[in-house]
Amino acid sequence: MSAVDFRQRLRELARFEPSGSPVVSVYLNTEWVDEHQRERVRIFVKNALAEARGRRWADRDDLDWIERQSGTLIGRAVFEDANGAVLFACGSASLRELLPLRVPFDDTFVVDARPYVRPLAGIVDDTPPALIVLADGVSARLIALDASGVTDETVLQAEVPGRHESGGWADLAQSRYERHILEHREQHFAAVAAAIGAWTERYDAHHIVLAAEPRSAAALRKHLPEAVAARIAGVVAGARHESSPVIADRAAGVLARVAQQADERRVDEALADAAEGSTAVAGVTATVGAVNRNAVRHLYVLTTFREPGAVCQDCGALQRGVHFTCPFCGRGTRTTELGEALVERVLASGGEVTTLESHRPLAGHGGVVARLRYAA
Ligand SMILES: [Zn+2]
């Protein structure tokens, strides 16, 4: 599944219309490094299913499906390189979805009228398509990466001629040989650079991570056009014998740092614009107001933000706190968690959502800031 599809799928989930039976949403951390962690996830799922069955929270078929799917995930029968997985089930609405992802989640099991999308929203925004390039003087491997993991890879191999002659004229032969190798090396890096340019375009790679020795990285950089070189997010170690998922995991650290820094910068900018008061609003009350007007283009919210709220059963308007009637249409409301409701509403109306683990100035503004579609 491509990154574009992920974004589209996320929007569809945010627009989900409740259908009578509830939706089961499950997020799992499948990045286990030992059997103890695997067992922890297995027990988490087992207990959550037992409770949901005991209280008849969800349809039996949906819970059975969740049990089967999570069982094969935990047994590593499928998606063995995924570090996280998301499952949604609501049989009465024909919703059965298993999304393998390259980033882990906190184990979460939610039964509600709607899909629980907030953790997924945070991931999709922070894992745009990227390209990893493992390169040395004679070969290269291009690895395309998106939120789900490695999506494509190819190996490029230079044909460096062997050393044919020896004996007389040895010195001359050696110097010619070295010059020859050097020329070929430059041609190799030029060819790799051309391939990087093509794949960057093909996979819409926002960032490139080089897995190379400093000398090879420098040689390669020389051949990259400015616009492509500007996408290099960092350089990590990498050896030809290593598997693509192993190299991808290493590069993911660099990509996560880049995404986090970009998020923090954009929040700072949004807060500054909110202070000027035209193209952004900060704080819970102002953000709820903007969401009710469908005016939010990009919502930034702390992952820890949680607050009770009310949503109108009729017009969908959100309110902070517990209310029994809607201030706009006077109809009845149901209680909701405001953070999830804001995320859903912004996604459903075509806006973007970024979640942040921590950001002190944002926390000082109640944990939310929103860029508006138009000046308020
Ligand atoms: Zn209303």
Side-chain angles (χ1 to χ4, degrees), residues 101-139:
L101 292 149
R102 68 176 170 83
V103 281
F105 294 97
D106 292 336
D107 296 329
T108 307
F109 192 102
V110 175
V111 181
D112 202 354
R114 311 174 52 78
Y116 176 54
V117 298
R118 191 165 160 189
L120 184 60
I123 293 306
V124 170
D125 184 66
D126 275 342
T127 51
L131 188 62
I132 303 165
V133 181
L134 175 70
D136 57 29
V138 293
S139 79

Short mmCIF file of all heavy atoms in Angstrom, two decimals, residues 101-139:
data_model
loop_
_atom_site.label_atom_id
_atom_site.label_comp_id
_atom_site.label_asym_id
_atom_site.label_seq_id
_atom_site.Cartn_x
_atom_site.Cartn_y
_atom_site.Cartn_z
N LEU A 101 2.71 -1.81 9.96
CA LEU A 101 3.45 -0.55 9.90
C LEU A 101 4.86 -0.75 10.42
O LEU A 101 5.13 -1.67 11.18
CB LEU A 101 2.70 0.51 10.73
CG LEU A 101 1.38 0.90 10.08
CD1 LEU A 101 0.35 1.29 11.11
CD2 LEU A 101 1.60 2.02 9.08
N ARG A 102 5.75 0.15 9.99
CA ARG A 102 7.13 -0.03 10.39
C ARG A 102 7.45 0.60 11.73
O ARG A 102 8.55 0.50 12.23
CB ARG A 102 8.07 0.52 9.31
CG ARG A 102 8.05 2.01 9.12
CD ARG A 102 9.11 2.41 8.08
NE ARG A 102 9.02 3.78 7.67
CZ ARG A 102 9.55 4.79 8.34
NH1 ARG A 102 10.18 4.57 9.46
NH2 ARG A 102 9.44 6.02 7.87
N VAL A 103 6.47 1.27 12.33
CA VAL A 103 6.68 1.87 13.65
C VAL A 103 5.79 1.20 14.69
O VAL A 103 4.65 0.84 14.39
CB VAL A 103 6.38 3.39 13.62
CG1 VAL A 103 7.53 4.15 13.01
CG2 VAL A 103 5.12 3.66 12.86
N PRO A 104 6.30 1.02 15.91
CA PRO A 104 5.51 0.34 16.94
C PRO A 104 4.47 1.27 17.57
O PRO A 104 4.61 2.49 17.51
CB PRO A 104 6.55 -0.05 17.98
CG PRO A 104 7.65 0.94 17.82
CD PRO A 104 7.65 1.36 16.37
N PHE A 105 3.43 0.68 18.14
CA PHE A 105 2.41 1.44 18.87
C PHE A 105 2.37 0.95 20.31
O PHE A 105 2.78 -0.17 20.60
CB PHE A 105 1.03 1.21 18.25
CG PHE A 105 0.88 1.74 16.88
CD1 PHE A 105 1.06 0.91 15.78
CD2 PHE A 105 0.57 3.07 16.66
CE1 PHE A 105 0.93 1.40 14.48
CE2 PHE A 105 0.43 3.56 15.37
CZ PHE A 105 0.62 2.72 14.29
N ASP A 106 1.82 1.76 21.20
CA ASP A 106 1.46 1.26 22.52
C ASP A 106 0.29 0.31 22.31
O ASP A 106 -0.64 0.63 21.57
CB ASP A 106 1.04 2.41 23.44
CG ASP A 106 2.21 3.32 23.79
OD1 ASP A 106 3.36 2.85 23.71
OD2 ASP A 106 1.97 4.49 24.12
N ASP A 107 0.32 -0.85 22.98
CA ASP A 107 -0.78 -1.81 22.84
C ASP A 107 -2.08 -1.15 23.30
O ASP A 107 -2.16 -0.65 24.42
CB ASP A 107 -0.48 -3.06 23.68
CG ASP A 107 0.76 -3.79 23.18
OD1 ASP A 107 1.02 -3.74 21.97
OD2 ASP A 107 1.46 -4.39 24.01
N THR A 108 -3.06 -1.15 22.41
CA THR A 108 -4.32 -0.45 22.70
C THR A 108 -5.48 -1.25 22.14
O THR A 108 -5.40 -1.76 21.01
CB THR A 108 -4.30 0.95 22.03
OG1 THR A 108 -3.12 1.63 22.42
CG2 THR A 108 -5.52 1.77 22.44
N PHE A 109 -6.55 -1.37 22.89
CA PHE A 109 -7.74 -2.11 22.46
C PHE A 109 -8.94 -1.23 22.78
O PHE A 109 -9.20 -0.92 23.94
CB PHE A 109 -7.81 -3.43 23.24
CG PHE A 109 -8.81 -4.42 22.71
CD1 PHE A 109 -8.41 -5.51 21.95
CD2 PHE A 109 -10.16 -4.27 22.98
CE1 PHE A 109 -9.33 -6.44 21.48
CE2 PHE A 109 -11.09 -5.19 22.50
CZ PHE A 109 -10.68 -6.27 21.75
N VAL A 110 -9.65 -0.80 21.74
CA VAL A 110 -10.76 0.13 21.94
C VAL A 110 -12.00 -0.41 21.24
O VAL A 110 -11.94 -0.84 20.09
CB VAL A 110 -10.42 1.53 21.36
CG1 VAL A 110 -11.62 2.47 21.45
CG2 VAL A 110 -9.23 2.15 22.09
N VAL A 111 -13.12 -0.40 21.95
CA VAL A 111 -14.41 -0.73 21.32
C VAL A 111 -15.26 0.52 21.43
O VAL A 111 -15.51 1.02 22.53
CB VAL A 111 -15.12 -1.91 22.02
CG1 VAL A 111 -16.44 -2.22 21.32
CG2 VAL A 111 -14.22 -3.14 22.03
N ASP A 112 -15.65 1.06 20.28
CA ASP A 112 -16.40 2.32 20.29
C ASP A 112 -17.29 2.36 19.04
O ASP A 112 -17.20 1.50 18.18
CB ASP A 112 -15.41 3.49 20.29
CG ASP A 112 -16.05 4.78 20.82
OD1 ASP A 112 -17.28 4.80 21.07
OD2 ASP A 112 -15.32 5.78 20.95
N ALA A 113 -18.10 3.40 18.96
CA ALA A 113 -18.99 3.51 17.81
C ALA A 113 -18.21 3.77 16.53
O ALA A 113 -18.68 3.45 15.43
CB ALA A 113 -19.99 4.66 18.05
N ARG A 114 -16.99 4.34 16.68
CA ARG A 114 -16.20 4.72 15.50
C ARG A 114 -14.79 4.15 15.61
O ARG A 114 -14.35 3.80 16.69
CB ARG A 114 -16.13 6.25 15.42
CG ARG A 114 -17.49 6.94 15.57
CD ARG A 114 -17.31 8.45 15.62
NE ARG A 114 -16.51 8.89 14.49
CZ ARG A 114 -17.00 9.03 13.27
NH1 ARG A 114 -18.27 8.80 13.04
NH2 ARG A 114 -16.23 9.40 12.29
N PRO A 115 -14.07 4.05 14.49
CA PRO A 115 -12.67 3.60 14.56
C PRO A 115 -11.85 4.61 15.38
O PRO A 115 -12.08 5.81 15.27
CB PRO A 115 -12.21 3.60 13.10
CG PRO A 115 -13.45 3.66 12.27
CD PRO A 115 -14.49 4.35 13.10
N TYR A 116 -10.93 4.10 16.17
CA TYR A 116 -10.04 4.95 16.96
C TYR A 116 -8.81 5.24 16.10
O TYR A 116 -7.95 4.38 15.90
CB TYR A 116 -9.66 4.21 18.24
CG TYR A 116 -8.67 4.91 19.11
CD1 TYR A 116 -8.87 6.22 19.54
CD2 TYR A 116 -7.51 4.26 19.54
CE1 TYR A 116 -7.96 6.86 20.36
CE2 TYR A 116 -6.59 4.90 20.36
CZ TYR A 116 -6.83 6.19 20.77
OH TYR A 116 -5.91 6.82 21.57
N VAL A 117 -8.72 6.45 15.54
CA VAL A 117 -7.72 6.73 14.49
C VAL A 117 -6.52 7.54 14.94
O VAL A 117 -5.56 7.69 14.21
CB VAL A 117 -8.36 7.45 13.28
CG1 VAL A 117 -9.42 6.58 12.63
CG2 VAL A 117 -8.93 8.81 13.67
N ARG A 118 -6.58 8.09 16.15
CA ARG A 118 -5.56 9.06 16.54
C ARG A 118 -4.12 8.55 16.47
O ARG A 118 -3.26 9.23 15.89
CB ARG A 118 -5.87 9.55 17.95
CG ARG A 118 -5.07 10.75 18.38
CD ARG A 118 -5.76 11.32 19.61
NE ARG A 118 -4.90 12.15 20.38
CZ ARG A 118 -5.25 12.61 21.59
NH1 ARG A 118 -6.42 12.29 22.09
NH2 ARG A 118 -4.44 13.39 22.25
N PRO A 119 -3.80 7.37 16.99
CA PRO A 119 -2.41 6.91 16.87
C PRO A 119 -1.98 6.73 15.41
O PRO A 119 -0.85 7.05 15.04
CB PRO A 119 -2.40 5.57 17.61
CG PRO A 119 -3.58 5.63 18.53
CD PRO A 119 -4.62 6.43 17.79
N LEU A 120 -2.90 6.24 14.58
CA LEU A 120 -2.59 6.04 13.17
C LEU A 120 -2.35 7.37 12.46
O LEU A 120 -1.45 7.50 11.63
CB LEU A 120 -3.73 5.27 12.49
CG LEU A 120 -3.54 4.89 11.03
CD1 LEU A 120 -2.32 3.99 10.85
CD2 LEU A 120 -4.78 4.18 10.49
N ALA A 121 -3.14 8.38 12.83
CA ALA A 121 -2.97 9.71 12.24
C ALA A 121 -1.57 10.24 12.51
O ALA A 121 -0.93 10.83 11.62
CB ALA A 121 -4.03 10.66 12.79
N GLY A 122 -1.09 10.03 13.72
CA GLY A 122 0.24 10.52 14.09
C GLY A 122 1.33 9.84 13.28
O GLY A 122 2.31 10.47 12.89
N ILE A 123 1.14 8.56 13.00
CA ILE A 123 2.15 7.79 12.28
C ILE A 123 2.20 8.16 10.80
O ILE A 123 3.26 8.38 10.23
CB ILE A 123 1.84 6.28 12.40
CG1 ILE A 123 2.01 5.82 13.84
CG2 ILE A 123 2.71 5.48 11.46
CD1 ILE A 123 3.33 6.15 14.44
N VAL A 124 1.05 8.24 10.17
CA VAL A 124 1.01 8.48 8.73
C VAL A 124 1.68 9.81 8.39
O VAL A 124 2.43 9.93 7.43
CB VAL A 124 -0.44 8.45 8.21
CG1 VAL A 124 -0.52 8.95 6.78
CG2 VAL A 124 -0.97 7.02 8.29
N ASP A 125 1.43 10.82 9.23
CA ASP A 125 2.04 12.13 8.96
C ASP A 125 3.55 12.10 9.15
O ASP A 125 4.27 12.83 8.47
CB ASP A 125 1.42 13.16 9.90
CG ASP A 125 1.94 14.55 9.59
OD1 ASP A 125 1.62 15.03 8.49
OD2 ASP A 125 2.68 15.12 10.41
N ASP A 126 4.03 11.28 10.07
CA ASP A 126 5.46 11.28 10.39
C ASP A 126 6.28 10.26 9.61
O ASP A 126 7.49 10.17 9.81
CB ASP A 126 5.66 11.05 11.89
CG ASP A 126 5.54 12.36 12.67
OD1 ASP A 126 5.66 13.42 12.03
OD2 ASP A 126 5.32 12.31 13.88
N THR A 127 5.65 9.48 8.74
CA THR A 127 6.41 8.50 7.97
C THR A 127 6.15 8.65 6.47
O THR A 127 5.61 7.75 5.84
CB THR A 127 6.06 7.06 8.41
OG1 THR A 127 4.63 6.92 8.39
CG2 THR A 127 6.56 6.75 9.79
N PRO A 128 6.51 9.82 5.92
CA PRO A 128 6.34 9.99 4.48
C PRO A 128 7.30 9.06 3.73
O PRO A 128 8.23 8.53 4.33
CB PRO A 128 6.73 11.45 4.25
CG PRO A 128 7.68 11.77 5.35
CD PRO A 128 7.22 10.96 6.53
N PRO A 129 7.06 8.83 2.45
CA PRO A 129 7.94 7.95 1.68
C PRO A 129 9.39 8.42 1.75
O PRO A 129 9.65 9.62 1.75
CB PRO A 129 7.42 8.08 0.25
CG PRO A 129 6.07 8.69 0.35
CD PRO A 129 6.00 9.42 1.65
N ALA A 130 10.29 7.48 1.84
CA ALA A 130 11.71 7.80 1.92
C ALA A 130 12.50 6.79 1.08
O ALA A 130 11.97 5.76 0.68
CB ALA A 130 12.18 7.76 3.37
N LEU A 131 13.75 7.15 0.82
CA LEU A 131 14.63 6.28 0.03
C LEU A 131 15.90 6.05 0.83
O LEU A 131 16.48 7.00 1.38
CB LEU A 131 14.95 6.97 -1.30
CG LEU A 131 15.69 6.17 -2.35
CD1 LEU A 131 14.86 4.97 -2.77
CD2 LEU A 131 15.96 7.06 -3.57
N ILE A 132 16.31 4.78 0.93
CA ILE A 132 17.57 4.47 1.59
C ILE A 132 18.52 3.97 0.53
O ILE A 132 18.14 3.15 -0.32
CB ILE A 132 17.37 3.39 2.67
CG1 ILE A 132 16.33 3.87 3.68
CG2 ILE A 132 18.69 3.10 3.38
CD1 ILE A 132 15.81 2.75 4.56
N VAL A 133 19.74 4.48 0.55
CA VAL A 133 20.72 4.10 -0.46
C VAL A 133 21.94 3.49 0.22
O VAL A 133 22.66 4.17 0.95
CB VAL A 133 21.16 5.32 -1.29
CG1 VAL A 133 22.17 4.88 -2.35
CG2 VAL A 133 19.96 5.99 -1.93
N LEU A 134 22.11 2.19 0.02
CA LEU A 134 23.29 1.50 0.53
C LEU A 134 24.31 1.48 -0.60
O LEU A 134 24.06 0.88 -1.65
CB LEU A 134 22.92 0.08 0.95
CG LEU A 134 24.06 -0.83 1.39
CD1 LEU A 134 24.62 -0.38 2.72
CD2 LEU A 134 23.57 -2.27 1.49
N ALA A 135 25.43 2.18 -0.43
CA ALA A 135 26.37 2.30 -1.55
C ALA A 135 27.81 2.14 -1.11
O ALA A 135 28.21 2.63 -0.06
CB ALA A 135 26.18 3.66 -2.24
N ASP A 136 28.57 1.41 -1.92
CA ASP A 136 30.02 1.43 -1.80
C ASP A 136 30.59 1.68 -3.18
O ASP A 136 29.86 2.10 -4.08
CB ASP A 136 30.55 0.13 -1.17
CG ASP A 136 30.12 -1.11 -1.94
OD1 ASP A 136 29.92 -1.00 -3.18
OD2 ASP A 136 29.99 -2.18 -1.33
N GLY A 137 31.90 1.44 -3.37
CA GLY A 137 32.54 1.81 -4.62
C GLY A 137 32.13 1.00 -5.83
O GLY A 137 32.33 1.42 -6.96
N VAL A 138 31.54 -0.17 -5.63
CA VAL A 138 31.23 -1.03 -6.77
C VAL A 138 29.77 -1.48 -6.85
O VAL A 138 29.36 -2.07 -7.84
CB VAL A 138 32.12 -2.29 -6.79
CG1 VAL A 138 33.56 -1.91 -7.05
CG2 VAL A 138 31.99 -3.06 -5.48
N SER A 139 28.99 -1.20 -5.80
CA SER A 139 27.60 -1.64 -5.85
C SER A 139 26.72 -0.68 -5.08
O SER A 139 27.21 0.17 -4.34
CB SER A 139 27.45 -3.06 -5.28
OG SER A 139 27.45 -3.00 -3.86
#
